Amino acid sequence: MTVSSRPAGNGWPENPLATAGNGIVHIGVGAFHRAHQAVYTQNAMLAAGGDWRIIGVTPRSTDIADQLNAQDGAFCVIVRNPAGDECHTIHSISHVLAAARDLDAVLDALCDPAIRIVTLTVTEKAYGIDRQAMKVAIDHPAIAHDLAHPGQPGGVIGILTEALRRRRELGHAPFTCLCCDNLPENGAVLRAGMVDFARRIDASLGEWIAQNVHFPSSMVDRITPASTDATYETVHAMTGHDDACAVETEPFSQWVVEDDFPTGRPAWEQAGVLMVDDVRPYEHMKLRMLNGSHSLIAYLGQLAGYKYVRDVMADDACAKLVRMHMGAAAATLSPLAELDFADYANDLVTRFCNPAIAHETRQIAMDGTEKLPQRLLAPALEAINAGADISSFALAVAMWMAYAHKLVANGQGDAISDPRRDEIVVALGGKNEAVAIYTSLSALPGLFAQDLLDHAPWQQAVTHWLDVILREGVLAAVGKQIAR
């Protein structure tokens, strides 16, 4: 990574990628992309060359496009390290186009045969894909608009489909679509949505996409808090110039990508990307060890009054509980030759303890009904089937139930940030005993697998921990669990 040194005056350091051509279009030039894929791509180009600079596309906003273009695509990444901040200048973005303002320019860029990869970080909601049905959601505003106006799309799926239609018409090979959003099997989900959308417009186009376009999955990981005045002040102090596009992040970064790029790719492996045949085992590792522990930390923090993840980890008993949970989660995973789960757990603990990262437990506690099935309930069922200890999973689920109950009992049901908030509030109305709370919340349709509901020891374990939390407090439950 290029480290910024103080330039003369208020200028930027020399661009080492200035003569390289563009090979990637990235849709969604937010803070995460700038701290993650843009960094990896720069490092890959510095290591092995290639015309792989990035044309950024903002689907809705115009501000970041204008700001980055005013800086010739350059920006700084501040790495908040306990040993001291680092500042790196990134030049891998050549320029940025705003789709809401200049759709034709975006489509022209996507149709350029030099563009061989399209990467995306637009959040799950922007795609308009029903993951259960593996089809587009026709009531999604962008999907509905683009089905009616396929030649003038406004949504991500519509723009990609129209660009591929034009490439087919021009005789250009299709680009590879690499989803980098944080959803499981994201390549398969994107492929299903794209093929379904295209078939609704033109059956032959849908079949052409299904047969010719590649959609590798990827797993991404790097905490990237929102930039603040402190971010910009740090950049100015370290470089001597202002940067309206600066981002800050943690030292840890991970990118696992399925190696399926028929028209080429950057030498990402030389930048630390793990190129694999199947990303799913790595997704399971992250969901269960990182995300599952994050959920436990979030509900524990909200019940115990700890605002940040780092505050929870500063409590020795809580930190020990988190390590125990990581071990229980790792026991449900198949071994990975490229990664050691103990090392991964150590990395996670280091990240969670980082005093420079202000990650709020309240934020992680959001959307529990969407997160619990993959993070806690699926590994709990696997542990049951393997005859393993389920107490850690049961305790974490009990914390979620106690957190929801606390808000409802205090008349703060509206503070539950969850797509099923209203159902949760109704379910918990008048419920104050552990068994009643468990029975009501576990009855939410589709949340708990039937095999889990039918397992009496699971119900007993969750209600036991829930009863301890309600009567003695969450820290008492932590102490009892780590003493087992």
Side-chain angles (χ1 to χ4, degrees):
M1 188 183 286
T2 303
V3 180
S4 294
S5 56
R6 185 183 293 275
N10 289 321
W12 288 78
E14 182 179 353
N15 180 359
L17 306 179
T19 61
N22 299 312
I24 298 172
V25 167
H26 180 84
I27 303 178
V29 193
F32 182 78
H33 168 69
R34 303 202 299 279
H36 192 272
Q37 296 95 16
V39 175
Y40 279 110
T41 299
Q42 168 154 308
N43 290 345
M45 292 176 68
L46 291 175
D51 292 325
W52 292 109
R53 290 192 77 191
I54 300 165
I55 299 174
V57 172
T58 59
R60 295 178 301 277
S61 171
T62 59
D63 290 347
I64 189 62
D66 294 339
Q67 291 166 343
L68 275 168
N69 289 335
Q71 299 176 178
D72 293 325
F75 61 93
C76 291
V77 175
I78 300 297
V79 180
R80 298 294 191 189
N81 196 314
D85 294 335
E86 301 171 13
C87 181
H88 307 281
T89 303
I90 306 302
H91 299 278
S92 55
I93 296 176
S94 67
H95 62 286
V96 181
L97 304 170
R101 182 171 58 199
D102 197 350
L103 176 62
D104 288 341
V106 172
L107 290 170
D108 287 345
L110 288 167
C111 290
D112 185 341
I115 298 301
R116 286 161 283 168
I117 299 172
V118 175
T119 55
L120 304 101
T121 50
V122 295
T123 76
E124 181 178 353
K125 294 176 183 178
Y127 292 103
I129 299 173
D130 181 342
R131 280 200 288 159
Q132 297 298 319
M134 293 295 273
K135 297 179 181 294
V136 290
I138 59 175
D139 58 347
H140 184 278
I143 296 296
H145 173 275
D146 294 350
L147 285 172
H149 309 280
Q152 288 293 312
V156 175
I157 296 293
I159 289 172
L160 291 177
T161 302
E162 174 61 11
L164 287 167
R165 185 194 68 78
R166 295 186 184 189
R167 287 181 78 112
R168 181 179 68 153
E169 190 174 81
L170 291 166
H172 299 334
F175 45 69
T176 296
C177 295
L178 178 62
C179 179
C180 300
D181 279 297
N182 195 13
L183 61 153
E185 299 185 57
N186 48 24
V189 172
L190 180 57
R191 180 186 187 278
M194 290 277 296
V195 170
D196 179 54
F197 181 90
R199 283 174 173 161
R200 291 171 185 268
I201 297 170
D202 178 347
S204 67
L205 176 61
E207 286 307 308
W208 183 82
I209 291 174
Q211 295 296 322
N212 295 280
V213 182
H214 291 244
F215 296 87
S217 289
S218 73
M219 185 195 86
V220 299
D221 190 10
R222 196 172 207 189
I223 296 171
T224 308
S227 297
T228 64
D229 289 344
T231 310
Y232 308 123
E233 290 166 3
T234 300
V235 169
H236 187 83
M238 297 184 76
T239 68
H241 64 79
D242 295 323
D243 179 4
C245 306
V247 294
E248 64 175 76
T249 189
E250 63 172 332
F252 181 90
S253 185
Q254 187 175 54
W255 197 8
V256 184
V257 179
E258 289 178 350
D259 201 355
D260 183 19
F261 297 85
T263 56
R265 62 169 176 79
W268 280 320
E269 70 279 3
Q270 295 194 40
V273 180
L274 197 57
M275 306 300 300
V276 301
D277 293 330
D278 184 357
V279 79
R280 286 174 296 181
Y282 301 88
E283 290 176 341
H284 291 159
M285 176 190 73
K286 181 187 174 188
L287 281 167
R288 297 180 183 187
M289 294 185 68
L290 188 157
N291 299 131
S293 296
H294 248 172
S295 288
L296 182 152
I297 289 169
Y299 303 125
L300 169 54
Q302 285 296 289
L303 291 168
Y306 292 137
K307 183 175 182 179
Y308 297 115
V309 170
R310 66 194 185 197
D311 299 333
V312 175
M313 299 303 291
D315 182 316
D316 290 342
C318 294
K320 185 173 182 179
L321 176 71
V322 171
R323 279 195 174 274
M324 289 176 65
H325 185 80
M326 290 179 187
T332 69
L333 300 170
S334 300
L336 291 171
E338 297 87 352
L339 285 172
D340 180 270
F341 294 144
D343 291 341
Y344 183 62
N346 288 335
D347 287 340
L348 293 179
V349 170
T350 299
R351 298 171 67 190
F352 294 168
C353 292
N354 189 340
I357 299 296
H359 206 173
E360 293 191 18
T361 57
R362 176 193 57 81
Q363 181 182 12
I364 303 168
M366 295 176 179
D367 303 328
T369 58
E370 291 189 338
K371 296 173 179 176
L372 260 64
Q374 297 173 84
R375 297 182 178 194
L376 297 171
L377 302 180
L381 187 56
E382 289 191 21
I384 288 170
N385 292 336
D389 184 17
I390 60 172
S391 60
S392 187
F393 303 109
L395 175 55
V397 171
M399 288 179 181
W400 168 68
M401 292 183 170
Y403 164 68
H405 171 265
K406 176 183 176 181
L407 291 176
V408 173
N410 291 339
Q412 298 176 308
D414 287 347
I416 298 175
S417 182
D418 191 288
R420 303 182 71 173
R421 178 189 63 195
D422 293 345
E423 293 177 75
I424 293 170
V425 172
V426 170
L428 289 175
K431 309 295 193 307
N432 293 301
E433 299 297 324
V435 172
I437 293 169
Y438 171 85
T439 301
S440 296
L441 289 178
S442 64
L444 291 175
L447 182 58
F448 284 69
Q450 191 61 45
D451 287 349
L452 203 56
L453 293 173
D454 292 342
H455 189 69
W458 167 255
Q459 176 180 343
Q460 293 163 6
V462 177
T463 53
H464 163 73
W465 287 121
L466 185 52
D467 184 62
V468 172
I469 295 169
L470 295 174
R471 289 188 299 103
E472 303 177 47
V474 70
L475 294 181
V478 171
K480 292 177 185 292
Q481 171 68 352
I482 64 176
R484 290 176 77 250

